[in-house]
Amino acid sequence: MKKIFLTCLCASLFAEGSPSTQFSIILGGGIQKLKSNISTQTKSFLQNYDVSQRDSFFFPLLGFEFDYQESGHQIFLKNYNGRNLSGISMGYSKSYDTWKTTLKLISSLREQAYENPYQIGDRNEIDVLKIALEITQDYRLGEYQRIFVSYLLANNLYEKETMPFDALKRESIMQQFEIGLDWTLVHINAFVDYNNAEGSAETFGRVGFELGGFWKFENDVVLSPNMSVARQIASNKNPIFDAKNNATILQISLNLTKLQLFNQPNLFGYAHYGFENRHSEISFLNESFSNFLLGVGFRSKIIINTHTRALLPKPAHMWGEATTKTLYDRAHAT
């Protein structure tokens, strides 16, 4: 699965004050290298089960975010990148004194899979639609600390499947539960996932944890390393290989952001390196991905005059010359 990790700089976690609207966009490109026998981003021709498919390619980068906030209410439209779902999300959040509740509707974009990934020879591609609903509850512990819990329910739909065994059917209902803690400039969270598929070999449970940091240096440079480790346990054996697709999943990423690029308060530069390795007890299902990308972004925030309802540009010094706290809030905004 192709995964691109984006960091969008957005509004503070518990926004207050005048009504405002904000948008940001990032444009760029990158290169991805991968080894996978089941991803449609490698060659569709499968010679046999013992050969690993490898490929590399360049891709464009487009990230965006839009939100409107007033009196603790927020509506938004933005990119979404999750463990099993990447696409676009739209939602609503309500902030209280120390609480924040967020509801998101998420959809995948142009995701594809093989009709039968185990077919020797040419394999046909099909469309995959993933739709999810996510609810998140944040609680602010202090000026730089918060704890959160989230629950996601997703429906994974495949256009057409011609699997040789019913146990390999992939349509599923997935549930994800996550709890996390942000403490000053470090965050840690644990998660539990359960994928209830039509095929018993595609049904699995997964547990893992994530550890990351967020540090601002001189000249408005922000560094965000992240690491995630998970263990996946399948419910039944894959009948082709007579083994379970039990796997260990490792993800590592490093994000570097330069605020006020070229001394322009509205511009920022972005660089990312990501690596993911899925080591399965079935060697045919082993996968690894690495990507590197560069981008330039623009962000703008407008406050709304509460008397005339006119749109007024927010002065750059109010958010462009950000402190560590506001940077932290933006990076962790929902």
Side-chain angles (χ1 to χ4, degrees):
M1 178 186 300
K2 177 179 176 181
K3 293 207 174 188
I4 301 175
F5 303 88
L6 300 179
T7 298
C8 291
L9 302 180
C10 43
S12 62
L13 180 61
F14 297 89
E16 299 177 354
S18 300
S20 65
T21 183
Q22 177 174 279
F23 71 91
S24 63
I25 186 169
I26 180 171
L27 299 173
I31 183 172
Q32 176 158 287
K33 295 183 178 181
L34 69 158
K35 180 182 72 173
S36 173
N37 291 320
I38 60 177
S39 171
T40 58
Q41 294 170 331
T42 58
K43 295 180 181 179
S44 61
F45 185 87
L46 180 63
Q47 184 176 354
N48 57 60
Y49 293 147
D50 298 322
V51 177
S52 298
Q53 306 277 65
R54 301 171 184 267
D55 207 346
S56 61
F57 56 89
F58 291 93
F59 60 87
L61 166 66
L62 172 62
F64 72 93
E65 177 172 312
F66 171 83
D67 71 64
Y68 172 81
Q69 301 181 51
E70 181 174 2
S71 302
H73 300 271
Q74 180 189 29
I75 56 175
F76 56 84
L77 180 69
K78 64 178 70 176
N79 294 100
Y80 182 89
N81 292 279
R83 288 189 294 279
N84 280 82
L85 172 59
S86 296
I88 189 172
S89 69
M90 60 181 299
Y92 165 80
S93 67
K94 177 68 172 74
S95 298
Y96 304 92
D97 290 338
T98 56
W99 289 90
K100 181 180 180 182
T101 302
T102 303
L103 188 66
K104 294 180 184 178
L105 180 63
I106 308 160
S107 176
S108 60
L109 293 175
R110 300 181 62 185
E111 187 166 337
Q112 292 185 312
Y114 287 121
E115 183 178 337
N116 177 8
Y118 304 100
Q119 178 180 323
I120 301 297
D122 284 319
R123 298 174 291 181
N124 296 324
E125 296 183 6
I126 59 172
D127 293 328
V128 180
L129 177 62
K130 298 181 178 180
I131 301 176
L133 184 67
E134 181 184 74
I135 183 169
T136 302
Q137 186 69 56
D138 290 275
Y139 179 70
R140 186 171 59 190
L141 301 173
E143 187 177 11
Y144 298 101
Q145 298 88 30
R146 70 159 186 154
I147 189 171
F148 72 91
V149 293
S150 69
Y151 172 78
L152 180 144
L153 179 66
N155 191 5
N156 303 322
L157 303 171
Y158 288 74
E159 178 187 5
K160 182 181 179 181
E161 289 189 293
T162 56
M163 291 299 189
F165 300 96
D166 288 343
L168 298 176
K169 290 185 176 180
R170 295 163 291 181
E171 287 204 349
S172 68
I173 299 294
M174 172 168 277
Q175 300 180 75
Q176 297 182 345
F177 175 80
E178 187 170 351
I179 182 169
L181 173 68
D182 292 326
W183 196 266
T184 311
L185 302 179
V186 176
H187 74 264
I188 183 171
N189 58 287
F191 55 85
V192 178
D193 303 335
Y194 180 69
N195 187 59
N196 186 14
E198 289 187 14
S200 59
E202 293 294 323
T203 298
F204 62 83
R206 182 170 55 207
V207 295
F209 73 92
E210 181 178 342
L211 178 66
F214 180 84
W215 300 295
K216 177 178 179 288
F217 301 96
E218 295 181 357
N219 302 320
D220 291 312
V221 173
V222 181
L223 182 66
S224 305
N226 198 79
M227 180 188 73
S228 173
V229 179
R231 180 63 177 169
Q232 176 178 300
I233 303 296
S235 295
N236 210 340
K237 290 183 178 181
N238 184 311
I240 295 178
F241 302 99
D242 193 31
K244 290 185 177 182
N245 182 22
N246 298 334
T248 301
I249 304 167
L250 171 67
Q251 293 180 334
I252 299 174
S253 67
L254 182 64
N255 300 310
L256 185 67
T257 305
K258 174 64 173 75
L259 302 175
Q260 301 195 68
L261 189 64
F262 307 127
N263 294 320
Q264 298 298 315
N266 290 4
L267 293 180
F268 61 91
Y270 179 79
H272 163 83
Y273 172 76
F275 172 80
E276 178 178 348
N277 183 69
R278 295 171 175 257
H279 182 73
S280 172
E281 294 180 8
I282 301 174
S283 59
F284 176 78
L285 298 177
N286 288 341
E287 296 182 283
S288 64
F289 306 84
S290 62
N291 59 69
F292 175 76
L293 59 89
L294 293 172
V296 176
F298 173 84
R299 56 184 175 137
S300 179
K301 185 168 186 176
I302 298 174
I303 57 175
I304 302 173
N305 188 300
T306 55
H307 299 290
T308 65
R309 311 302 293 179
L311 299 180
L312 303 175
K314 189 169 183 179
H317 70 271
M318 294 178 65
W319 57 279
E321 299 175 0
T323 64
T324 301
K325 178 179 183 301
T326 55
L327 284 170
Y328 170 82
D329 287 339
R330 288 172 184 162
H332 290 76
T334 301

